Amino acid sequence: MTELGRLEDLPLDYREALTRQNLVPLWPSLRGVMPAHKPRPNTRATMWAYQALRPLLLQAGELTPIEKAERRVLVLANPGHGLEKMQASAAIYLGMQLLLPGEWAPSHRHTPNAVRMIVEGEGAYTTVDGVRCPMARGDLILTPTGLWHEHGHDGSAPVVWLDVLDLPLVHYLEASYHVDGERQAVQAGGEPAVLTHGLRPAPLFERERSASPMLRYPWVDARAALLALAAQRPALEAVQLAYVNPETGADAENILGFYALMLRPRQQLRLPARSPASVFHVIEGGVEVSVEAQRFSLAEADTCCAPGYTAATLRNQDGSAPAFVFVADETPLHRKLGIFEDRG
Ligand code: 1HN
């Protein structure tokens, strides 16, 4: 590969003349913005242990009342991007949110898409677009772009969940903003539960709606489906389910992809080097994640991220119980952009 000219090779007065005209020579920066063969991600393999962050999150509950926070969150920030950027990867934001009994996080809507994976506690709920979605451990609740959402808590112990948003991307696009709203009127009847049976209402006239009609994916259903899949297909290597829009089969959200993965007892699973970055969050069991030179031992409620273009190996070290992992990645985005790659 040819060595390209450096900025210092250019006379100072020429460089200054360029700057005065808001001009920049490409060649000194060309290899930086387009390295050979493989990107150089800022995203570093990083782990966040729940037992280490939990006391700090509970302390935030004492230090900052909900009215002063709106959303009481500790962001899981990737040091490779700089902590102040609040990103886990190029497109993924992660945060652990705490809601205490009786608290209410007021209604708003925004352009970034969000999901919540419930980590701990009972009695809280999110109201999304007028639909009350109860929160239980392992449930996945969607708040797709533009939908009103607020959180309430009628229980007696703290509730914690993992927020996953495409905020870094939407912010980069200069398209991130929010609107505050009034407390939502809750729709009678709750969720359109019939969807989970492969049936849906078929009215004579229907308004076009791009968001998934399914807003809550109960963990009891996903867990049972994983166990059934593993039993029905003993030779299947990746016992993995994608969270999808049940009406279309498309990804549940537009930008990030969400999956539930089961590792059989003692199973080791190699995930190929694909272009999107990924996040792994343990719902049940213990999983060892090897990525790049790192080896993370994840216990329940621990989270880690892995950069794109890098293979990762997940291991369930338990000999008798399966392990269950929630996975979030940038696949829908990469596919839509036409940059998705699987390098094996
Ligand atoms: C947000 O609206 C929530 O609604 C959580 O719970 C985390 C992070 C950045 C921007 C908006 C929520 C968020 C957020």
Side-chain angles (χ1 to χ4, degrees):
M1 193 168 44
T2 324
E3 192 76 13
L4 300 179
R6 299 166 306 167
L7 200 56
E8 309 83 79
D9 300 338
L10 298 169
L12 191 59
D13 60 342
Y14 176 72
R15 282 150 62 185
E16 285 169 356
L18 290 178
T19 303
R20 280 195 295 276
Q21 302 302 320
N22 294 323
L23 295 169
V24 173
L26 172 62
W27 56 97
S29 305
L30 184 58
R31 300 292 186 233
V33 292
M34 223 161 45
H37 308 301
K38 183 180 178 292
R40 283 194 216 111
N42 288 319
T43 303
R44 264 191 243 155
T46 305
M47 173 187 166
W48 297 271
Y50 189 61
Q51 287 313 318
L53 74 82
R54 187 179 185 276
L56 297 168
L57 188 56
L58 291 174
Q59 208 177 339
E62 292 161 17
L63 295 170
T64 307
I66 191 72
E67 295 75 21
K68 289 281 177 199
E70 209 163 285
R71 300 295 192 261
R72 193 191 290 109
V73 178
L74 293 181
V75 179
L76 280 48
N78 193 307
H81 287 273
L83 298 183
E84 71 290 349
K85 291 284 176 55
M86 299 199 298
Q87 45 193 121
S89 74
I92 305 176
Y93 158 102
L94 298 174
M96 281 285 180
Q97 183 162 170
L98 169 70
L99 198 64
L100 295 170
E103 287 186 337
W104 180 62
S107 188
H108 68 189
R109 57 188 197 152
H110 42 68
T111 45
N113 296 273
V115 303
R116 335 216 169 264
M117 164 55 51
I118 315 311
V119 175
E120 170 181 334
E122 282 166 23
Y125 58 90
T126 291
T127 306
V128 185
D129 207 20
V131 176
R132 187 181 160 114
C133 302
M135 294 176 162
R137 200 168 90 81
D139 289 354
L140 184 74
I141 296 172
L142 309 187
T143 54
T145 177
L147 298 194
W148 293 108
H149 56 282
E150 63 195 76
H151 316 303
H153 189 355
D154 298 335
S156 54
V159 164
V160 177
W161 63 83
L162 175 69
D163 290 310
V164 187
L165 282 82
D166 47 27
L167 175 65
L169 175 74
V170 180
H171 180 71
Y172 176 74
L173 296 174
E174 301 186 339
S176 178
Y177 72 95
H178 88 281
V179 178
D180 289 321
E182 301 294 316
R183 199 170 194 128
Q184 296 170 71
V186 175
Q187 210 170 282
E191 306 165 78
V194 284
L195 285 167
T196 60
H197 302 278
L199 299 164
R200 68 170 180 90
L204 297 176
F205 174 79
E206 202 166 13
R207 233 176 356 139
E208 193 73 38
R209 183 194 149 110
S210 63
S212 174
M214 191 160 167
L215 296 170
R216 176 171 174 259
Y217 297 75
W219 175 237
V220 283
D221 296 335
R223 189 181 192 280
L226 285 168
L227 287 168
L229 179 63
Q232 284 161 4
R233 300 188 49 193
L236 183 66
E237 206 201 351
V239 184
Q240 182 174 234
L241 298 169
Y243 291 94
V244 298
N245 175 337
E247 281 188 353
T248 63
D251 297 303
E253 286 188 347
N254 288 328
I255 295 177
L256 302 182
F258 307 102
Y259 319 85
L261 171 68
M262 181 184 127
L263 297 166
R264 297 180 163 97
R266 293 241 184 278
Q267 184 182 357
Q268 174 167 319
L269 179 67
R270 183 181 177 277
L271 303 175
R274 302 181 323 152
S275 53
S278 332
V279 166
F280 306 106
H281 171 82
V282 176
I283 301 178
E284 256 184 75
V287 177
E288 190 183 79
V289 178
S290 302
V291 55
E292 294 182 316
Q294 306 267 18
R295 182 171 295 195
F296 303 128
S297 235
L298 301 190
E300 245 163 60
D302 290 351
T303 307
C304 75
C305 74
Y309 299 88
T310 314
T313 300
L314 274 53
R315 256 179 236 99
N316 176 9
Q317 286 174 311
D318 195 297
S320 54
F324 296 95
V325 183
F326 169 61
V327 182
D329 76 5
E330 300 167 334
T331 295
L333 173 65
H334 278 223
R335 288 198 192 280
K336 287 186 174 97
L337 295 178
I339 59 167
F340 181 88
E341 276 183 67
D342 185 337
R343 297 192 173 186

